[in-house]
Amino acid sequence: MMGKMMKGILFWFTIIVQLFSIVTSRRTMHHARHTRVNHRHDEMMHPPPVTHRHVDMMHPPPVTLHISNQYVVIDNGIVQLTLTNPTGHIFGISYNGIDNLLEKSDLEVRRGYWDVMWKLPKDQGGTFDTFFMKKFKVISQDDNKVEVSFTKTWSSSADHDLPLNIDKRFVMLRGNSGFYSYGKFEHSEGMPALRVDEARIAIKLSQNLFHYMAVSDDRQRVMPTNQDISHGKVLGYKEATQITHPSNSPFNYEVDDKYQFSSDNKDIKVHGWICNNPHVGFWVITPTNEYTCGGPMKQDLTSHSGPTSLATFFSGHYIGPQLGVDLQDGESWKKVFGPVFFYLNSDSGNNHQTLWEDAKRQMFEETKKWPYDFPQSKEYLKANERATVSGRLLVNDRYISEDPFYAKSAYVGLALPGDVGSWQTETKGYQFWTQTDESGYFKINGVIPGTYNLYSWVPGVIGDYKYNLNFTITQGSEYNLGDLVYNPPRNGPTLWEIGIPDRTAAEFFVPDPLPSLTNHVFINTTHRFRQYGLWDRYTDLYPNEDLVYRVGVSDYTKDWFYAHVTRRTVHKQYIPTTWQILFDLSTVDPSGTYTLHIALASATSSHLLGRINNPIIPRPTFQTPGIGQSNAIARHGIHGLYSLFTFEIPGYNLQIGENIIYLTQARGGSPFNGVMYDYIRFEGPPQ
């Protein structure tokens, strides 16, 4: 009898609890949809309530949309995204019991935002703009998807208004553990001239929650806090800080610098942060780099201390101001950036590698889905609106092989028409890149219709290839270009060479950092060149005399410093340096023409001068113009903007026996001036 009574009490108690939950839920939803908040400050401090539910992934709940006077809330039962209305900033991200993963800042523009750096021709400096959007619109809404739009239209009467029309969008799908963001920039008739130096999405995560960062398999660790950095010593440039009063003792005297965690475009696929308790990961997943600039090896920022995660669309980092978008008065231009996927994952354990591997798995899934089928913007083209280009690339170098050979692992890409290698600095169009297989075959999928040149470069081969014809790609077409043959720069047989033609200086000698400037995450990795202060190690190794390299005796992995930099004097001045290349010739054709190829992986405020067998002749035998604004030396890049210089050396400048090439980097004044060599080759006269 007593058992039956207890069961009855439990039954009615359960019914009462469920009824109370339903009433509360309806009141909450009603409040979010219809209540007008009179004081903006109150709503910012008390955003719409968060409900966290157990989700059946076999039958995930529908996507819901709640709109109030100040907020737009999208919720799929896994992730809740709160956006400011109508300005379009990311105010909150809720997941796995965490009310807001973002930093608790009163400034809504400093949590999650799109930003650009821009200026008008009359401006003295640039404007950092997190643009406040003016209008909000629901693009689509059903149980499976919500897409919303925030727009801003240029006003000619507004004071110093960014002359772009911008449509910024957010998408959430049913059952997805995350959300997408993409947008369109448009410059049209009537708009004034404009320069945009940078565009990206920035996410500022909670400093109290996120302490572990991962940007690649071999670059991940617990990171110093903002307090550690603010109490540290600023080094040679403001982004680099030596930690002197750390909250975590292993950080003592380490260097934190956001540029140490840069990556090539081709490798910026997934990166982010992990929270210990609860065990949650926040990841930026980039399934394509078709809308980025500079090609597959252009480097850019990823995640860094803050904790901050970025999705960078374009910037001048590691290249220079050539990577900005310059628009003339009334010039017509529009471009879609994204979508980028912001992914969240969690588990009940504490192994960060588990979340990292799951994030990589999700990245591969997103890459397979590209181009996505869900974006509603008519400017974003679906798979059936795109095209395919294929073919095979061969290399014809008669001093290597009598017959053309396969261009293995070559990078092949489509970009707007231009000169050979112009894709490195092209910014207004889309680029589509792939790599060839072992037999030189390539296939580029998902190409947006338009007029292109086809470009390529081949690891192990100097120079750049360009298909001679412009060709126009139309929707749904498949183009097979057949066999293409690249004839790389070559005048005669190789007499000697230094390095590997791969567009980086990574194969040369990279010194250990000073113990007081070490970041331990880069020890014994392929990223050891990302340590701070390596440029000054040249002076430590060569305090009085410069580098001397003897062909056939020296080893470029040990004896060729990774960057031709200036030397620091006892008075802390930075002076030009002259390197020597010694080589023997058993015969010399005094009437013949020899060839020296110098491929540079990077240059910053440099001027190379070359002299043969006499270091003090007034006029150099050969020289480059003033070159380079990449700043790759200061920002630990190991490569920047690639360039190739070819010099003809008259035979009468040479002699039987020992010869010396004196290479002078003639511009001093800064520790960051210099070049990174990719490859040097000396050829005999044509045979």
Side-chain angles (χ1 to χ4, degrees):
M1 185 68 179
M2 183 64 69
K4 290 182 179 181
M5 184 180 298
M6 290 300 297
K7 288 182 179 179
I9 292 172
L10 287 172
F11 172 79
W12 287 110
F13 179 78
T14 302
I15 294 297
I16 292 169
V17 170
Q18 289 177 347
L19 288 172
F20 179 79
S21 298
I22 291 171
V23 171
T24 304
S25 175
R26 287 180 177 175
R27 286 178 178 173
T28 299
M29 184 177 297
H30 179 80
H31 175 83
R33 287 178 175 172
H34 301 294
T35 302
R36 181 179 180 86
V37 178
N38 294 322
H39 301 286
R40 179 176 178 80
H41 177 77
D42 290 343
E43 186 168 4
M44 288 178 67
M45 294 300 99
H46 305 285
V50 176
T51 302
H52 299 285
R53 303 176 292 276
H54 173 73
V55 177
D56 179 4
M57 294 308 297
M58 296 298 295
H59 304 91
V63 187
T64 60
L65 175 66
H66 308 300
I67 303 169
S68 71
N69 186 50
Q70 302 292 346
Y71 291 100
V72 175
V73 181
I74 313 174
D75 190 340
N76 68 357
I78 306 169
V79 176
Q80 186 182 79
L81 174 66
T82 302
L83 308 166
T84 57
N85 184 9
T87 51
H89 296 110
I90 302 173
F91 185 83
I93 302 171
S94 305
Y95 173 75
N96 196 41
I98 303 176
D99 287 351
N100 196 349
L101 278 69
L102 303 184
E103 179 61 16
K104 300 296 192 295
S105 168
D106 290 350
L107 296 176
E108 61 183 28
V109 297
R110 291 300 191 205
R111 293 187 175 192
Y113 52 90
W114 287 55
D115 70 65
V116 295
M117 281 290 296
W118 64 277
K119 63 181 178 180
L120 304 176
K122 64 181 180 181
D123 293 344
Q124 294 298 313
T127 297
F128 178 77
D129 196 335
T130 58
F131 38 77
F132 286 67
M133 313 307 279
K134 301 297 185 182
K135 293 182 179 180
F136 164 72
K137 181 180 180 181
V138 178
I139 300 299
S140 63
Q141 178 185 3
D142 57 37
D143 287 351
N144 295 313
K145 182 184 74 172
V146 167
E147 178 168 345
V148 296
S149 167
F150 299 86
T151 56
K152 171 193 172 297
T153 303
W154 174 69
S155 172
S156 59
S157 60
D159 181 39
H160 203 253
D161 189 32
L162 170 62
L164 286 176
N165 295 332
I166 300 171
D167 182 355
K168 181 171 64 172
R169 299 196 177 189
F170 296 89
V171 183
M172 186 175 286
L173 304 179
R174 188 173 191 168
N176 260 26
S177 186
F179 63 93
Y180 299 85
S181 186
Y182 73 107
K184 181 188 72 173
F185 291 178
E186 182 174 20
H187 188 269
S188 57
E189 184 178 352
M191 292 185 178
L194 167 69
R195 176 176 176 84
V196 185
D197 286 306
E198 180 179 280
R200 63 187 186 178
I201 304 174
I203 304 292
K204 302 287 189 179
L205 296 164
S206 169
Q207 297 181 43
N208 293 330
L209 294 175
F210 291 90
H211 302 289
Y212 188 92
M213 187 182 79
V215 301
S216 64
D217 286 333
D218 58 352
R219 284 188 293 167
Q220 47 183 277
R221 65 173 298 181
V222 174
M223 295 292 288
T225 66
N226 273 358
Q227 187 175 15
D228 293 335
I229 295 169
S230 63
H231 291 167
K233 175 185 176 183
V234 177
L235 298 174
Y237 48 89
K238 63 181 181 180
E239 294 89 354
T241 302
Q242 185 182 42
I243 298 170
T244 55
H245 298 84
S247 56
N248 192 342
S249 58
F251 294 140
N252 203 26
Y253 295 109
E254 281 204 0
V255 173
D256 180 80
D257 177 359
K258 64 182 181 179
Y259 293 105
Q260 291 179 318
F261 297 96
S262 297
S263 293
D264 295 351
N265 278 344
K266 63 182 174 60
D267 300 323
I268 302 178
K269 295 295 186 182
V270 57
H271 58 89
W273 289 82
I274 294 174
C275 168
N276 280 338
N277 187 22
H279 199 221
V280 166
F282 178 89
W283 310 100
V284 180
I285 293 179
T286 307
T288 181
N289 51 37
E290 67 182 33
Y291 46 77
T292 60
C293 303
M297 289 189 65
K298 164 67 171 66
Q299 294 185 89
D300 232 312
L301 297 173
T302 56
S303 290
H304 58 80
S305 290
T308 300
S309 285
L310 303 173
T312 303
F313 301 134
F314 62 88
S315 78
H317 295 145
Y318 301 96
I319 298 294
Q322 302 99 308
L323 259 289
V325 177
D326 283 304
L327 300 165
Q328 304 304 311
D329 285 329
E331 180 180 351
S332 179
W333 174 76
K334 61 184 174 183
K335 190 171 183 179
V336 175
F337 298 97
V340 176
F341 185 44
F342 297 94
Y343 177 62
L344 296 106
N345 60 2
S346 63
D347 65 11
S348 58
N350 57 11
N351 186 347
H352 295 340
Q353 196 65 23
T354 302
L355 297 186
W356 169 247
E357 292 299 327
D358 176 70
K360 290 198 298 180
R361 176 201 58 77
Q362 187 66 39
M363 176 269 292
F364 287 120
E365 286 190 15
E366 298 298 321
T367 302
K368 291 177 184 177
K369 297 175 187 175
W370 191 269
Y372 292 134
D373 59 4
F374 59 80
Q376 293 294 105
S377 172
K378 65 179 181 180
E379 308 296 343
Y380 177 85
L381 300 187
K382 311 296 194 301
N384 62 351
E385 299 174 288
R386 300 186 177 217
T388 300
V389 176
S390 60
R392 182 170 68 164
L393 183 65
L394 305 171
V395 178
N396 181 35
D397 186 333
R398 61 193 177 93
Y399 288 99
I400 296 177
S401 171
E402 292 184 1
D403 299 315
F405 54 90
Y406 303 139
K408 299 179 181 179
S409 301
Y411 288 86
V412 181
L414 299 169
L416 290 184
D419 296 329
V420 173
S422 61
W423 53 269
Q424 289 190 99
T425 54
E426 195 284 307
T427 59
K428 294 180 181 178
Y430 300 92
Q431 296 193 21
F432 305 90
W433 288 87
T434 190
Q435 279 188 277
T436 60
D437 64 15
E438 289 294 304
S439 299
Y441 287 100
F442 64 88
K443 186 175 184 180
I444 306 174
N445 296 311
V447 180
I448 294 174
T451 300
Y452 297 92
N453 279 151
L454 184 138
Y455 304 91
S456 180
W457 66 273
V458 185
V461 179
I462 63 172
D464 280 278
Y465 170 77
K466 173 190 168 184
Y467 183 56
N468 287 330
L469 300 177
N470 298 355
F471 56 96
T472 300
I473 292 174
T474 57
Q475 176 179 322
S477 55
E478 295 186 7
Y479 294 86
N480 190 320
L481 300 178
D483 285 353
L484 308 175
V485 180
Y486 173 39
N487 296 288
R490 171 70 76 172
N491 291 327
T494 299
L495 299 183
W496 53 262
E497 59 188 348
I498 300 172
I500 302 169
D502 60 359
R503 296 184 175 236
T504 83
E507 69 269 28
F508 298 127
F509 176 70
V510 177
D512 292 329
L514 291 174
S516 60
L517 296 174
T518 300
N519 188 322
H520 289 90
V521 77
F522 303 114
I523 295 176
N524 298 323
T525 76
T526 57
H527 295 275
R528 62 193 311 267
F529 58 85
R530 296 194 183 276
Q531 298 280 11
Y532 180 86
L534 299 185
W535 50 84
D536 260 352
R537 300 292 283 142
Y538 178 79
T539 302
D540 298 335
L541 295 171
Y542 303 94
N544 301 309
E545 298 180 352
D546 286 321
L547 182 150
V548 177
Y549 186 91
R550 184 177 293 277
V551 172
V553 177
S554 301
D555 179 348
Y556 62 75
T557 67
K558 300 176 181 178
D559 303 316
W560 188 269
F561 200 74
Y562 81 103
H564 190 164
V565 292
T566 53
R567 182 192 288 109
R568 183 186 69 253
T569 69
V570 293
H571 302 293
K572 294 187 177 180
Q573 296 176 325
Y574 289 88
I575 61 174
T577 54
T578 298
W579 290 10
Q580 298 179 42
I581 304 174
L582 282 61
F583 60 98
D584 292 329
L585 294 176
S586 58
T587 62
V588 173
D589 180 358
S591 62
T593 299
Y594 294 72
T595 303
L596 180 68
H597 298 287
I598 299 179
L600 299 181
S602 171
T604 301
S605 299
S606 299
H607 184 197
L608 274 184
L609 308 177
R611 293 176 171 85
I612 307 292
N613 290 329
N614 187 343
I616 60 173
I617 55 175
R619 296 187 61 182
T621 310
F622 59 88
Q623 63 179 310
T624 69
I627 48 174
Q629 295 175 283
S630 74
N631 217 19
I633 293 172
R635 291 175 172 168
H636 333 290
I638 210 65
H639 68 87
L641 184 67
Y642 175 83
S643 56
L644 175 65
F645 295 93
T646 297
F647 304 106
E648 294 184 348
I649 309 297
Y652 56 75
N653 284 339
L654 303 170
Q655 59 194 20
I656 295 175
E658 183 178 83
N659 292 265
I660 304 175
I661 295 177
Y662 297 91
L663 277 177
T664 301
Q665 197 296 100
R667 290 191 177 174
S670 168
F672 309 129
N673 290 357
V675 302
M676 294 181 183
Y677 298 99
D678 166 43
Y679 175 71
I680 300 176
R681 185 170 74 209
F682 190 68
E683 298 174 357
Q687 294 180 354

